[in-house]
């Protein structure tokens, strides 16, 4: 634990700036002296003084051998990994690295369909063939969860030649599958398990939370330190362990995907966030769990609003949950999550993490306290008095709609590089999409390139757009048109 008090990268930076070297290298603002004075004033001298690049004393993220290497080694120790790679390209960069490490053109990767767009981007870059597993759909909450051991078993026995299995654990909403069992099963086929751990950096540091990817024995995990672990936005880690993955290959691939101008502000924030998590993480998360559980109880007392907890565990796709995520179901108020998000912004000055048709999601972190929790509860109470109509049987009037998963007819890469044309979205049923369409956040695709468009999906897109939810992805931001694979008509 004493070793975890050290922050070699951050200390190395401080050491360097204490010598006040005359800088004749980029960044050209040189401590802010060469930049817009307003912004310099706002950002402040400390941040500007460590906005440096990979000069010799500061090591190089592309070939770590000094302070970055030492910091990554301490992070590996903290996360229970054999190697940790720092990412300044967010978890998206770490995810692309995982996939491109294990998959080449034409090789199979088993993935749940409700994946983040970075996973589909990596599948296009690598030319891999996705084998989709249907995530479990929760008809009560109207969200998708993780994958079950049974569905993994089916996918592995049909595709024992897959080069990897990717699991989202925990999901955006904090739900975990039985990851240990999934890992054991997948390893019995000698297939590596890659985990999208964007929403689970903190779970490693408290045994009241679901098991982390490294604890479950997964081979690789892309983990957003910036989302819930206290580092700055865009900074993440890629952890690996075991013999199935070569650390050298990971290093060369993450390097291919990373800027050569790596931000030392981000890197230092990773080094210090790791110290904070390793030394204080357990205590901090205990406090957060307490705060979140008290918020959950109070929310469940508000008419028309509910917040599920451990009672929804089912030993299956909902094997465990992270109580610090508050899934707040508002469907009984007969308004959409998006309307609630806007109402809370305009009337209560509250910003939520995300909204969908039926829920809002609020995250509780070590940045919260009883005041922020009470403020949220107060806002939700006012929301309920505005919208809740006593006596009305709301739950019966709500029909949860989740999108159908379309059939993949071309590999995403082939579709992406095919000849295409533009057609009206409302006339596109039956055509093959050449674009991604997703709702962001959370960035889960409704269509990926290569999938056959069905009327159901078109209706779902319109429903989300009518509710004001952010449907994104296509070239035409109004979504009047969609790019599809060109059909070749016979020449008469
Ligand atoms: C499930 C999931 N995976 C990956 C990512 C990508 O993380 P980042 O924004 O750090 O690139 C996100 C971001 O929201 C996500 O929700």
């Amino acid at each position: 634990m004493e070793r975890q008090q050290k922050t070699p990268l951050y200390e190395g930076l401080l050491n360097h700036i204490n010598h006040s070297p005359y800088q004749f290298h980029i960044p050209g603002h040189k401590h802010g002296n060469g930049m817009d004075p307003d912004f310099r004033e706002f950002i402040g001298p400390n941040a500007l003084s460590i906005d440096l690049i990979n000069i010799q004393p500061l090591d190089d993220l592309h070939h770590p051998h000094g302070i970055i290497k030492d910091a990554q080694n301490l992070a590996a120790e903290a996360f229970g990994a054999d190697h940790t790679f720092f990412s300044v390209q967010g978890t998206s960069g770490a995810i692309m690295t995982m996939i491109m490490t294990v998959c080449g053109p034409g090789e199979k990767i088993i993935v749940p369909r409700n994946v983040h767009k970075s996973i589909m981007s990596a599948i296009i870059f690598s030319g891999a063939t996705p084998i989709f597993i249907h995530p479990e759909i929760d008809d009560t909450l109207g969200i998708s969860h993780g994958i079950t051991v049974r569905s993994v078993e089916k996918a592995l026995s049909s595709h024992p030649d897959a080069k990897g299995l990717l699991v989202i654990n925990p999901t955006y909403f904090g739900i975990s599958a039985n990851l240990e069992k999934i890992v054991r099963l997948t390893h019995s086929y000698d297939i590596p398990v890659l985990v999208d751990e964007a929403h689970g950096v903190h779970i490693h540091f408290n045994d009241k939370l679901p098991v982390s990817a490294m604890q479950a024995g997964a081979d690789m995990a892309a983990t957003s330190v910036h989302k819930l672990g206290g580092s700055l936005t865009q900074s993440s880690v890629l952890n690996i362990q075991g013999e199935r993955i070569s650390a050298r290959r990971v290093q060369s691939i993450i390097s291919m995907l990373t800027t050569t101008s790596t931000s030392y502000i981000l890197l230092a924030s990773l080094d210090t966030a790791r110290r904070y998590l390793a030394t204080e993480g357990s205590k901090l998360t205990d406090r957060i769990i307490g705060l979140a559980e008290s918020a959950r109880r109070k929310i469940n007392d508000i008419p028309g609003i509910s917040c599920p907890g451990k009672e929804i565990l089912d030993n299956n796709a909902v094997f465990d949950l992270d109580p610090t995520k508050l899934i707040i179901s508002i469907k009984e108020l007969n308004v959409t999550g998006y309307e609630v998000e806007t109402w809370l912004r305009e009337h209560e000055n509250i910003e939520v993490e995300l909204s969908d048709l039926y829920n809002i999601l609020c995250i509780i972190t070590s940045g919260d306290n009883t005041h922020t929790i009470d403020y949220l509860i107060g806002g939700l109470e006012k929301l309920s008095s505005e919208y809740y109509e006593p006596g009305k049987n709301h739950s019966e009037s709500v029909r949860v709609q989740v999108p159908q998963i379309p059939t993949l007819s071309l590999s995403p890469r082939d579709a992406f590089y095919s000849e295409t044309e533009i057609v009206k979205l409302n006339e596109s049923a039956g055509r093959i999409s050449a674009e991604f369409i997703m709702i962001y956040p959370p960035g889960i695709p409704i269509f990926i390139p290569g999938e056959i468009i069905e009327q159901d999906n078109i209706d779902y897109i319109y429903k989300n757009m009518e509710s004001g939810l952010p449907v994104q992805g296509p070239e035409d931001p109004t979504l009047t048109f969609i790019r599809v694979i060109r059909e070749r008509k016979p020449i008469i």
Side-chain angles (χ1 to χ4, degrees):
M1 192 54 97
E2 205 167 304
R3 278 161 52 75
Q4 289 294 328
Q5 297 287 356
K6 297 191 171 131
T7 48
L9 207 169
Y10 175 51
E11 284 158 28
L13 269 174
L14 294 184
N15 234 343
H16 180 75
I17 59 169
N18 281 342
H19 287 112
S20 309
Y22 284 86
Q23 290 178 6
F24 291 97
H25 59 73
I26 51 176
H29 66 69
K30 303 195 181 187
H31 301 279
N33 292 322
M35 69 165 36
D36 179 78
D38 257 7
F39 189 65
R40 176 176 65 219
E41 181 94 352
F42 176 75
I43 278 277
N46 285 343
L48 290 168
S49 70
I50 60 163
D51 186 26
L52 293 163
I53 54 139
N54 54 335
I55 47 173
Q56 197 275 337
L58 301 183
D59 205 358
D60 181 352
L61 188 62
H62 291 268
H63 306 279
H65 53 276
I67 56 175
I68 294 182
K69 183 162 187 259
D70 293 344
Q72 291 190 149
N73 286 346
L74 282 172
E77 191 179 285
F79 283 106
D82 290 342
H83 300 275
T84 293
F85 299 85
F86 287 170
S87 167
V88 291
Q89 312 281 136
T91 300
S92 298
I95 283 176
M96 291 186 207
T97 304
M98 294 201 296
I99 294 176
M100 292 175 77
T101 299
V102 300
C103 276
E107 291 178 333
K108 295 177 187 168
I109 179 155
I110 303 171
V111 291
R113 178 55 174 67
N114 54 334
V115 287
H116 185 260
K117 69 175 183 176
S118 57
I119 294 172
M120 289 317 307
S121 305
I123 285 174
I124 290 180
F125 295 157
S126 63
T129 304
I131 306 294
F132 288 123
I133 298 187
H134 280 242
E136 291 292 298
I137 304 294
D138 188 322
D139 290 332
T140 313
L141 290 169
I143 59 176
S144 41
H145 294 316
I147 48 179
T148 60
V149 177
R150 226 182 116 241
S151 58
V152 171
E153 201 159 17
K154 261 165 85 182
L156 289 169
S157 60
S158 312
H159 303 279
D161 53 340
K163 296 293 176 193
L165 166 80
L166 188 138
V167 186
I168 308 161
N169 196 78
T171 64
Y172 210 144
F173 293 96
I175 308 293
S176 279
N178 187 344
L179 189 58
E180 281 172 303
K181 208 160 170 190
I182 289 175
V183 169
R184 274 200 305 278
L185 177 66
T186 313
H187 283 173
S188 71
Y189 287 78
D190 199 22
I191 293 175
V193 178
L194 326 179
V195 180
D196 173 349
E197 204 176 45
H199 298 285
V201 65
H202 55 308
I203 62 178
H204 187 78
F205 300 95
N206 192 310
D207 47 19
K208 295 181 198 81
L209 294 172
V211 289
S212 71
M214 289 297 112
Q215 286 161 340
D219 303 79
M220 306 178 94
T223 307
S224 296
V225 186
H226 71 92
K227 284 187 170 46
L228 299 164
S231 69
L232 294 180
T233 295
Q234 216 173 305
S235 60
S236 294
V237 292
L238 172 52
N239 289 318
I240 69 169
Q241 67 182 343
E243 302 298 316
R244 289 179 193 84
I245 303 296
S246 148
R248 287 197 176 169
R249 185 159 170 76
V250 174
Q251 177 65 68
S252 66
I253 292 175
I254 200 166
S255 202
M256 283 163 65
L257 296 171
T258 297
T259 171
T260 39
S261 307
T262 49
S263 160
Y264 276 79
I265 300 186
L266 296 186
L267 292 173
S269 85
L270 277 173
D271 195 25
T272 49
R274 181 272 312 150
R275 170 175 63 185
Y276 200 41
L277 284 167
T279 59
E280 303 289 326
S282 166
K283 215 164 53 195
L284 288 171
T285 39
D286 266 346
R287 190 179 73 80
I288 304 165
I289 294 168
L291 276 177
E293 290 294 21
S294 94
R296 183 172 273 104
R297 278 192 298 277
K298 290 177 187 161
I299 294 169
N300 280 321
D301 285 340
I302 303 176
I305 303 183
S306 59
C307 181
K310 295 239 171 193
E311 74 285 351
I312 66 166
L313 299 187
D314 65 1
N315 221 5
N316 219 346
V318 191
F319 184 75
D320 205 352
L321 66 76
D322 168 5
T324 69
K325 297 288 182 74
L326 302 177
I327 309 170
I328 302 174
S329 168
I330 44 69
K331 61 181 188 174
E332 302 233 343
L333 298 179
N334 278 333
V335 280
T336 65
Y338 183 69
E339 285 166 314
V340 168
E341 176 179 340
T342 312
W343 191 92
L344 288 172
R345 176 175 301 128
E346 287 172 0
H347 293 84
E348 294 298 312
N349 198 20
I350 288 175
E351 293 290 346
V352 303
E353 169 63 19
L354 72 79
S355 61
D356 61 21
L357 289 173
Y358 313 105
N359 309 286
I360 54 169
L361 179 70
C362 291
I363 59 166
I364 307 303
T365 73
S366 53
D368 282 295
N369 52 44
T370 46
H371 167 72
T372 62
I373 300 291
D374 289 346
Y375 193 81
L376 173 65
I377 305 297
L380 293 173
E381 281 168 348
K382 288 185 203 154
L383 174 81
S384 162
S385 12
E386 178 84 14
Y387 289 104
Y388 186 65
E389 292 177 55
K392 196 163 168 193
N393 190 347
H394 298 265
S395 45
E396 270 188 17
S397 61
V398 174
R399 205 186 122 248
V400 163
Q401 192 192 357
V402 285
Q404 292 296 317
I405 297 180
T407 308
L408 188 71
S409 81
L410 275 182
S411 90
R413 185 184 176 92
D414 286 347
F416 190 76
Y417 287 112
S418 285
E419 258 188 79
T420 57
E421 60 185 329
I422 287 172
V423 296
K424 283 201 165 140
L425 177 66
N426 62 6
E427 293 169 5
S428 65
R431 304 295 299 269
I432 300 171
S433 174
E435 300 195 276
F436 284 105
I437 298 189
M438 74 202 83
I439 302 187
Y440 190 90
I444 306 301
I446 299 171
F447 291 129
I448 60 167
E451 285 182 338
I452 302 173
I453 300 167
E454 286 175 29
Q455 191 57 45
D456 254 11
N457 307 108
I458 299 174
D459 296 344
Y460 184 76
I461 290 174
Y462 285 132
K463 183 154 187 208
N464 277 282
M465 285 174 71
E466 277 158 24
S467 310
L469 286 161
V471 183
Q472 289 187 4
E475 278 170 27
D476 172 13
T478 67
L479 264 150
T480 317
F481 296 99
I482 180 169
R483 190 170 281 283
V484 295
I485 307 299
R486 167 168 261 145
E487 280 182 343
R488 291 192 185 278
K489 298 261 182 334
I491 300 165
I492 303 173

